[in-house]
Amino acid sequence: YVKVIQNNLFEKGKSLESSIHQTGLLSNPSLSGSWRVNGTDVPVGDPRYTLVAGNLVISGPQFVRDAGSYQCLAINRCGTILSRAANLKFGYLHDFPGEGRSPQTAYEGAGAFLACQPPAHYPALSYRWFVSEFPSFMKPDGGRWFVSQVTGNLYLAKAEPNDTASYFCFTTINMDISTKSTFSKANQLTVQPDGTGLSVCVCFPVPKLRWRKVDGLLPSKAGASAEGPILTLPEMTFHEEGVYECEAYNSEGRDTQQGRITVQGSWLQVMSDSEVEISSELHWTCVAAGKPRPSIRWLRNGQPLSTQDRVEVNGGRLKVINLALEDSGMYQCVAENKHGTIYSNAELRVQVPDFRSNPVRRLVPAARGGQVMMECRPRAAPKPTLFWSRGTELLTNSSRVTVTPDGMLRIHNISRADEGKYTCFAENYLGKANSTGHLSVRDATKITLAPSNADINQGENVTLQCHASHDPTMDLTFTWALNGALLDLEDPGGTYHREIVGDLLIVSGQLSQAGTYSCTAQTVVDSASASAKLVVRGPPGPPGGLVVKNVAATSVELRWSRGYDNHSPIGKYVIMGHSLLSPGWKRMRTGNAESTRVFGLLPWMDYEFQVIASNILGSGEPSMSSHTVRTQQAAPTVAPSGLGGGGGDRNELIITWTPMAREYQNGDGFGYILAFRKQNSPTWVVERVSNVESSRYVYSNQSLSPYCLFEVKIKAYNRKGEGPFSQIAVVHSAEEGEQPNLFSNPNLNPCPNPSVRSPWCTLQRRLSQNRSGIRYWRQHEREASADRVRTAGLETTARVVGLRPSTRYHVTVMAYNSAGTGPASARTTVTTRRPPPNRPPGNVSWKTDGSWVTVRWDHVKTLDNESAVLGYKVLYKHEGQSALKVLDKGKTSVTLPLPKDNGYVVLEIRSWGEGGDGAAQETIVSRDSGETWTDWVCPNNIYFLIKCTLIHYFP
């Protein structure tokens, strides 16, 4: 083939040596090449032209002599093909005219443009502008500047005073071997203030651009280019043909411009290489599409082909009858329109028989007693005659030997006597050829120990045996298959494993592994197989066809069909069910028939059912769930619970109960019936409550006395009837309550707790009477989120724990009794104190003097959010004694007595202030001066005394 040559562009007047062809000619067999320019052979003898590996080199190309259309002819013994044309053109760029340009004026805020007026050139130019002096090229500046790559003009939106300057149009032409640029004379632009001029071609705000296809959807291959000035569509096909519209838009309006894309052409059907017989016919078809519709012509070995003698050319169809040797060669179909030319190439061959590309196998092994097939497939045109021989003996069809017309040799029931050389001969009128192979007869492969049928329970292991004999000169491999599907024996985590020789081990056999197992012993020449059946017994499969019939209020009838018993008789069935109120499956009944009635269901309840079969090996998978059924309705059978009441406002009787759960309602139209009377009264008052979720009924009557005893009872009802009454309960009518008084000056005391890092405080309130409740909330919180504390009995003080330090709280107090909660007191406001220091005294040291010890420490420095240190507390204790010394702030030392014996003293030193006691520093002091005993705490809370010889104790 010939790589497509490319168009080339040279600068006019340049003297150079350059190839207009990118690569040489590639073919098998090797070829030579020649060139044409404008249809005329290139004079290779001219010293200006040189062929180098098929490349054409032109020295000192000239516009008049060398511009034109070049084509390469590739030639070898197969024929000649012609490359597509490549145009050699000469580029040029003249200078801008020497005369100056007229100055231009623009008004501030308006638009303007400067014309480039490029000089004569070929091919197209690229444009840039620079201001004042080279190379100060223009930048977009937020989109105010735009350079058209079609005209070269410079457009300006919303001119500003600092845009006044001299502007130069800079043009560049790019060619294959060089680049040339030139620039214009100065374009003077002056921007004047307070103008009311109109923007020319450029708008402000600077518009955005987007593309769409007018007659269809925009191709997805357009990508991000659909939102820019240049629409890119790679790999064009006919589907992309159509009208495209560019829209420019901003907040002030929009404008559009349309253009049409037409695909030049492409091949729809091409010819392919052919080998045909002499005297037969050749039919080739080429179909190309394009706009305008392309014309098609034909070439043979680079020369035009037209209708004559045995050749018929009809557009894209070529027909050659009574083919002869001279018709061999390279054919080309050429489609062309005004947009370009495309080529399709194919070879027509007529040749003598040839075994070089597909000879007979040199060594053909075969098993004794088996069969062998030997192929004979030479390349030949026309089709050759094929026959086989063994030595000098011509082979013909017999009971054991078959020679097919397409050259296949088959030998059945092979014996040692069949070993030897076999030759295939191919012949046509152009010539002859032959190829020879050697048949080697080997011992046949036989199964000597076949696998036996097996019967196992699910989960058990089983080994299937398979041994075979074979020809010792060849390798033997074993494979296993289950029901014809090959098994993977190499997976270490699988259930199938190789045993010695060819045995198969099945680990933890499952029901899905039952079936027919086939063992195959195989060599390169033959194979032998044997099979056995494996039965796996296990729990039954799921029953099928579960249906629900004859639905009553508390029972349903179930029917189903028997599933697979998996080789063990089904012993019983377990019926499982669940309702919407109990999503888990529950055992409902067992039996051994394929139908049953399930009792004990709740009326007016949705149920689903499953059936599980079981045998002596276990329970199987459940059946598919039945469709959901709802049992029939029935009157309630139980009474509501939790009957009680009391409290409320004056002249009220409040009765409460626990709403009945869904499973006890038994039907729709559900509600409650209340009956109540004064104690010892013969008459009951009956009221209905129709809301199923109700839990409270209030009876109001001005004649009700406070705290009067009533007997009450309750029952449920639904559409089917009424249930039983509950037990009678005694309820008091409402009491009368009073408002407590809250003292305006509450007592706020700190409550130190050294064991808790966040200090807590208490609030104490003086309360007037009755049992009381405290409501408190932070200043920036809503009263609705208040926390509550209730007092016990008639206490008039309460302790509130868990408050935040340095926080402002609001507090109210309310009295309550069995009649309910009274009105709240007036609100009062208190602020908790700052917490004590979070650090213990540090750098503790001591000095003994006889029976006394002096202990010193560093003053504790407080943080801004901590309360000030007013002093220190020193707790010291030894066996049988303990004492506490409280020191003021100015003292950071204390003298204490030591035990008379050699015992030790445990010291705890902590700061204190209005926020409470700070963290403690604990140390141990002995009579031995200069020695420290430090308390270490182990993770398991076992205490050890470690003796350390230190001058100071470091916490």
Side-chain angles (χ1 to χ4, degrees):
Y1 68 91
V2 178
K3 184 173 181 180
V4 175
I5 58 179
Q6 308 294 322
N7 290 331
N8 287 256
L9 183 66
F10 292 86
E11 186 178 356
K12 184 169 65 176
K14 289 285 185 180
S15 177
L16 69 151
E17 292 188 359
S18 177
S19 168
I20 65 171
H21 189 62
Q22 297 298 315
T23 65
L25 307 177
L26 306 177
S27 75
N28 184 17
S30 60
L31 52 74
S32 59
S34 64
W35 287 82
R36 293 177 184 172
V37 56
N38 300 326
T40 305
D41 291 340
V42 173
V44 181
D46 189 324
R48 296 177 59 253
Y49 302 102
T50 307
L51 282 177
V52 179
N55 295 337
L56 175 64
V57 179
I58 305 176
S59 300
Q62 300 175 8
F63 175 76
V64 176
R65 298 181 57 182
D66 299 315
S69 176
Y70 286 77
Q71 288 180 283
C72 171
L73 284 82
I75 307 167
N76 67 6
R77 64 180 178 84
C78 296
T80 302
I81 60 172
L82 187 65
S83 75
R84 76 178 186 186
N87 294 318
L88 175 60
K89 300 181 179 180
F90 290 78
Y92 63 92
L93 174 61
H94 294 169
D95 292 330
F96 279 91
E99 59 269 16
R101 300 194 172 195
S102 301
Q104 296 192 45
T105 301
Y107 293 97
E108 184 179 357
F113 83 97
L114 301 176
C116 179
Q117 299 174 340
H121 60 275
Y122 179 84
L125 300 175
S126 61
Y127 299 93
R128 290 188 292 173
W129 285 73
F130 63 88
V131 59
S132 299
E133 62 181 15
F134 183 85
S136 300
F137 287 103
M138 301 295 302
K139 297 181 180 179
D141 190 17
R144 291 196 312 117
W145 298 97
F146 174 74
V147 177
S148 170
Q149 294 302 311
V150 177
T151 63
N153 294 343
L154 175 65
Y155 295 89
L156 167 64
K158 194 181 180 183
E160 298 176 357
N162 58 6
D163 292 328
T164 298
S166 296
Y167 296 84
F168 300 83
C169 180
F170 188 87
T171 62
T172 302
I173 186 171
N174 292 294
M175 293 168 286
D176 292 348
I177 58 174
S178 67
T179 298
K180 182 176 181 180
S181 301
T182 184
F183 59 88
S184 68
K185 295 295 183 179
N187 292 260
Q188 181 63 40
L189 175 65
T190 302
V191 179
Q192 295 183 357
D194 301 325
T196 58
L198 299 176
S199 176
V200 180
C201 297
V202 182
C203 308
F204 194 85
V206 177
K208 296 182 179 179
L209 300 175
R210 60 188 173 201
W211 289 86
R212 73 180 187 94
K213 190 177 182 185
V214 176
D215 47 358
L217 296 176
L218 191 67
S220 59
K221 64 177 70 175
S225 70
E227 301 292 334
I230 300 176
L231 178 67
T232 303
L233 299 175
E235 300 178 2
M236 289 290 294
T237 66
F238 285 107
H239 295 292
E240 279 74 54
E241 281 193 329
V243 177
Y244 290 79
E245 180 180 88
C246 173
E247 179 185 15
Y249 63 97
N250 62 14
S251 59
E252 302 301 323
R254 60 187 292 271
D255 192 16
T256 60
Q257 186 69 33
Q258 294 182 350
R260 176 177 292 277
I261 294 180
T262 302
V263 178
Q264 296 179 3
S266 64
W267 286 117
L268 302 180
Q269 181 178 346
V270 297
M271 54 189 183
S272 58
D273 293 345
S274 298
E275 294 180 349
V276 295
E277 298 181 11
I278 296 293
S279 301
S280 64
E281 289 188 357
L282 170 69
H283 293 269
W284 266 335
T285 301
C286 281
V287 180
K291 295 181 182 179
R293 184 175 181 179
S295 62
I296 295 180
R297 55 189 176 90
W298 294 82
L299 303 176
R300 180 171 62 192
N301 293 328
Q303 299 299 322
L305 195 61
S306 59
T307 299
Q308 56 180 343
D309 300 333
R310 297 177 294 105
V311 177
E312 179 182 338
V313 177
N314 184 11
R317 300 179 183 275
L318 173 65
K319 177 181 178 182
V320 183
I321 62 175
N322 194 21
L323 284 165
L325 282 176
E326 58 266 26
D327 295 320
S328 298
M330 298 300 300
Y331 288 74
Q332 291 179 282
C333 177
V334 185
E336 54 191 347
N337 61 14
K338 66 178 182 179
H339 299 295
T341 304
I342 53 178
Y343 290 77
S344 175
N345 309 324
E347 179 186 2
L348 174 64
R349 284 188 293 184
V350 177
Q351 62 179 35
V352 297
D354 186 354
F355 281 97
R356 287 177 295 177
S357 61
N358 192 24
V360 174
R361 265 178 83 185
R362 288 179 176 270
L363 178 62
V364 182
R368 188 168 53 184
Q371 72 170 359
V372 68
M373 292 186 296
M374 302 178 69
E375 288 186 336
C376 178
R377 297 188 180 278
R379 296 174 63 91
K383 185 177 181 179
T385 301
L386 302 175
F387 55 92
W388 285 86
S389 71
R390 182 186 177 194
T392 58
E393 176 190 0
L394 183 65
L395 297 178
T396 58
N397 290 339
S398 65
S399 59
R400 292 195 314 112
V401 178
T402 302
V403 179
T404 65
D406 61 356
M408 183 73 70
L409 172 63
R410 290 192 181 94
I411 305 176
H412 303 271
N413 194 19
I414 294 174
S415 65
R416 290 286 184 183
D418 293 319
E419 278 193 333
K421 291 184 177 181
Y422 290 78
T423 302
C424 175
F425 293 89
E427 179 179 355
N428 63 16
Y429 75 93
L430 297 175
K432 300 178 181 179
N434 62 79
S435 181
T436 300
H438 185 271
L439 176 62
S440 175
V441 179
R442 312 291 175 88
D443 290 338
T445 302
K446 296 181 180 179
I447 298 294
T448 57
L449 177 60
S452 301
N453 295 336
D455 189 327
I456 63 172
N457 291 335
Q458 181 175 279
E460 294 179 349
N461 298 346
V462 64
T463 298
L464 301 180
Q465 294 182 309
C466 185
H467 298 177
S469 63
H470 68 292
D471 191 298
T473 63
M474 294 181 293
D475 293 330
L476 178 69
T477 59
F478 288 89
T479 59
W480 285 86
L482 171 58
N483 298 328
L486 199 64
L487 299 179
D488 180 8
L489 306 183
E490 308 302 327
D491 183 4
T495 57
Y496 298 105
H497 301 278
R498 291 186 190 276
E499 293 274 270
I500 56 174
V501 191
D503 296 351
L504 173 67
L505 170 63
I506 304 174
V507 178
S508 186
Q510 301 299 311
L511 295 173
S512 60
Q513 294 173 304
T516 301
Y517 284 81
S518 300
C519 167
T520 301
Q522 187 167 3
T523 66
V524 294
V525 298
D526 69 338
S527 63
S529 299
S531 300
K533 289 187 177 181
L534 174 65
V535 174
V536 180
R537 303 181 186 274
L546 176 61
V547 294
V548 184
K549 303 174 64 177
N550 301 327
V551 179
T554 60
S555 65
V556 296
E557 182 181 345
L558 301 181
R559 293 182 181 274
W560 61 90
S561 60
R562 179 182 293 264
Y564 294 111
D565 62 6
N566 290 324
H567 310 290
S568 179
I570 295 174
K572 69 175 180 178
Y573 294 98
V574 178
I575 291 81
M576 307 293 290
H578 78 82
S579 68
L580 296 180
L581 300 177
S582 56
W585 290 94
K586 178 182 177 182
R587 180 187 292 240
M588 309 294 287
R589 186 163 185 178
T590 60
N592 54 15
E594 277 76 48
S595 65
T596 189
R597 191 160 192 90
V598 179
F599 297 92
L601 305 179
L602 296 174
W604 198 56
M605 185 61 62
D606 291 337
Y607 285 95
E608 288 183 357
F609 299 93
Q610 289 180 343
V611 180
I612 300 174
S614 61
N615 56 23
I616 60 174
L617 296 177
S619 297
E621 293 293 322
S623 67
M624 293 184 63
S625 299
S626 69
H627 64 277
T628 302
V629 296
R630 175 169 290 186
T631 52
Q632 298 294 323
Q633 300 187 41
T637 57
V638 297
S641 62
L643 184 62
D649 295 335
R650 185 177 181 180
N651 306 126
E652 287 184 348
L653 172 64
I654 296 179
I655 304 172
T656 60
W657 64 91
T658 301
M660 290 188 69
R662 170 68 175 79
E663 56 263 38
Y664 302 118
Q665 295 174 17
N666 291 1
D668 58 1
F670 184 86
Y672 304 96
I673 298 176
L674 288 169
F676 54 92
R677 67 183 178 184
K678 286 185 179 181
Q679 199 170 36
N680 300 324
S681 173
T683 304
W684 292 88
V685 178
V686 178
E687 297 287 348
R688 282 179 174 258
V689 180
S690 60
N691 187 350
V692 66
E693 297 179 357
S694 295
S695 61
R696 186 172 183 266
Y697 176 76
V698 180
Y699 174 71
S700 299
N701 193 315
Q702 296 297 324
S703 64
L704 282 180
S705 301
Y707 210 62
C708 181
L709 287 176
F710 278 80
E711 294 178 335
V712 298
K713 57 184 179 179
I714 189 172
K715 64 180 177 181
Y717 72 91
N718 61 21
R719 198 176 303 278
K720 287 291 185 178
E722 299 177 0
F725 267 117
S726 67
Q727 295 290 326
I728 294 176
V730 178
V731 179
H732 289 84
S733 60
E735 300 178 84
E736 292 185 343
E738 299 181 17
Q739 176 178 349
N741 295 322
L742 177 63
F743 294 148
S744 60
N745 294 317
N747 182 21
L748 178 64
N749 289 330
C751 308
N753 184 353
S755 65
V756 181
R757 285 189 175 274
S758 298
W760 50 270
C761 302
T762 64
L763 289 172
Q764 292 180 332
R765 296 291 183 269
R766 299 291 300 170
L767 307 179
S768 61
Q769 60 180 357
N770 297 329
R771 290 169 290 178
S772 304
I774 296 176
R775 300 173 73 250
Y776 61 96
W777 64 97
R778 285 185 289 169
Q779 183 176 17
H780 298 296
E781 294 179 337
R782 294 185 300 173
E783 184 176 355
S785 63
D787 292 321
R788 291 173 171 79
V789 174
R790 283 195 171 188
T791 63
L794 299 179
E795 289 290 333
T796 58
T797 62
R799 170 171 291 180
V800 181
V801 300
L803 301 180
R804 299 189 182 187
S806 302
T807 303
R808 193 174 183 86
Y809 283 89
H810 299 304
V811 184
T812 62
V813 181
M814 296 169 292
Y816 70 95
N817 54 26
S818 60
T821 302
S825 69
R827 177 192 304 178
T828 188
T829 303
V830 294
T831 302
T832 57
R833 298 190 176 113
R834 290 180 293 179
N838 193 32
R839 294 168 305 288
N843 205 16
V844 179
S845 64
W846 68 89
K847 183 177 181 182
T848 58
D849 183 7
S851 60
W852 295 85
V853 60
T854 300
V855 183
R856 300 181 183 276
W857 59 88
D858 289 345
H859 175 63
V860 175
K861 295 182 180 180
T862 59
L863 303 177
D864 293 340
N865 62 343
E866 296 176 341
S867 59
V869 175
L870 299 180
Y872 298 91
K873 293 182 180 179
V874 181
L875 174 66
Y876 63 101
K877 49 190 175 181
H878 53 82
E879 186 177 359
Q881 294 184 7
S882 63
L884 174 66
K885 280 188 175 291
V886 180
L887 310 177
D888 61 27
K889 180 179 179 181
K891 293 185 178 181
T892 57
S893 65
V894 64
T895 300
L896 304 171
L898 286 172
K900 295 180 181 180
D901 54 9
N902 290 327
Y904 56 87
V905 175
V906 178
L907 300 180
E908 287 185 2
I909 308 171
R910 72 180 76 221
S911 62
W912 65 271
E914 65 177 9
D917 292 349
Q921 174 67 67
E922 183 174 299
T923 189
I924 299 174
V925 179
S926 72
R927 183 179 291 275
D928 298 333
S929 176
E931 293 185 338
T932 302
W933 293 85
T934 301
D935 189 2
W936 291 80
V937 182
C938 296
N940 58 0
N941 294 328
I942 299 176
Y943 286 76
F944 291 92
L945 293 178
I946 311 297
K947 186 174 183 180
C948 306
T949 303
L950 301 172
I951 296 176
H952 296 290
Y953 169 75
F954 294 91

